[in-house]
Amino acid sequence: GENVEQHPSTLSVQEGDSAVIKCTYSDSASNYFPWYKQELGKRPQLIIDIRSNVGEKKDQRIAVTLNKTAKHFSLHITETQPEDSAVYFCAASTGLLRAATYKYIFGTGTRLKVLA
Amino acid sequence: DADVTQTPRNRITKTGKRIMLECSQTKGHDRMYWYRQDPGLGLRLIYYSFDVKDINKGEISDGYSVSRQAQAKFSLSLESAIPNQTALYFCATSDRPGQGSDTQYFGPGTRLTVL
């Protein structure tokens, strides 16, 4: 079946360094790619998203890039801070169009630790 | 996000029992979803509903059923609970993707343990 692969599963960086998390999707009908942050004991919350007709999007210290040909997208966090420590999930959705079958598939998550 | 609520927040039950998890939202969204979260597996879609009369199976619907009682309420039932249904369950909502977004807004989660 369709899936989303996410790497790495854990990532430790020094405060101030950059972090990159990568995801690969298989369903070519995917047209929306969100990233969620889940802090310990909390619910997932959207931090940034990108549509399939856009190659890159940036919001302050975070950015997402999309390569439709290769079917992969990445989250970039610059100048990391301790409060960036959390689990990050990517997802691929077919939801922006009237797809025959709606899919919203999450990656397995990356636990990011920012070391002070 | 206080706009999506789930009850109960924690539940311990025994194998074979029927249980119901409830979700309510005040966001006015048409679309509602149930996910389960397991360590190392991420979030997996159980059922989704695009309106009161539209209910669809997700990738792992076996052993679960749902009811959309109103636009604001979406319940998940485990007909006969088994230990491998022990997980963290999230309800989510989303608006119609008219603005190029399919953001999911999650409730606080229900931690279910089946003994």
Side-chain angles (χ1 to χ4, degrees):
Chain A
E2 309 293 354
N3 72 325
V4 175
E5 293 186 1
Q6 182 172 347
H7 299 283
S9 56
T10 61
L11 178 61
S12 294
V13 299
Q14 291 292 328
E15 182 177 0
D17 287 350
S18 295
V20 180
I21 303 170
K22 299 181 179 181
C23 289
T24 302
Y25 62 99
S26 59
D27 189 347
S28 58
S30 298
N31 47 43
Y32 174 74
F33 306 91
W35 286 90
Y36 291 84
K37 175 182 181 182
Q38 186 178 25
E39 297 178 350
L40 188 63
K42 302 287 184 64
R43 71 194 76 189
Q45 292 190 302
L46 181 80
I47 56 171
I48 195 167
D49 57 12
I50 192 168
R51 291 181 286 171
S52 57
N53 60 349
V54 176
E56 183 174 0
K57 183 177 179 180
K58 188 174 182 179
D59 182 4
Q60 299 183 329
R61 296 188 297 108
I62 59 174
V64 57
T65 59
L66 171 65
N67 183 327
K68 283 180 58 180
T69 302
K71 294 184 182 174
H72 66 71
F73 56 112
S74 300
L75 177 70
H76 305 253
I77 306 174
T78 59
E79 301 173 15
T80 54
Q81 302 167 5
E83 53 264 38
D84 293 329
S85 295
V87 178
Y88 292 81
F89 292 96
C90 64
S93 164
T94 62
L96 297 190
L97 296 174
R98 184 179 290 278
T101 303
Y102 177 80
K103 290 191 177 72
Y104 208 109
I105 301 176
F106 284 83
T108 51
T110 296
R111 184 174 299 279
L112 174 65
K113 297 180 182 178
V114 180
L115 307 172
Chain B
D1 188 339
D3 293 340
V4 184
T5 58
Q6 293 182 232
T7 55
R9 295 293 312 278
N10 289 282
R11 179 74 184 270
I12 299 174
T13 191
K14 295 182 178 180
T15 297
K17 294 292 187 181
R18 182 181 189 276
I19 67 163
M20 179 181 291
L21 310 182
E22 299 185 336
C23 177
S24 295
Q25 54 111 348
T26 58
K27 300 184 79 67
H29 290 167
D30 289 331
R31 300 181 170 195
M32 298 187 73
Y33 311 81
W34 276 104
Y35 291 89
R36 67 176 277 175
Q37 184 174 34
D38 299 275
L41 294 178
L43 292 134
R44 293 180 291 166
L45 184 62
I46 306 172
Y47 271 94
Y48 63 98
S49 171
F50 282 179
D51 65 42
V52 175
K53 296 181 180 180
D54 177 33
I55 293 178
N56 303 276
K57 294 181 178 180
E59 55 180 313
I60 54 162
S61 59
D62 288 349
Y64 302 95
S65 63
V66 291
S67 173
R68 184 82 184 267
Q69 300 95 326
Q71 187 207 33
K73 296 183 181 296
F74 193 36
S75 300
L76 176 72
S77 294
L78 284 67
E79 300 302 325
S80 179
I82 56 177
N84 76 0
Q85 292 178 312
T86 293
L88 182 58
Y89 289 85
F90 284 103
C91 172
T93 74
S94 71
D95 205 351
R96 297 179 187 179
Q99 302 301 318
S101 171
D102 191 19
T103 302
Q104 308 266 305
Y105 296 89
F106 288 87
T110 295
R111 185 166 297 282
L112 175 66
T113 302
V114 183
L115 302 176

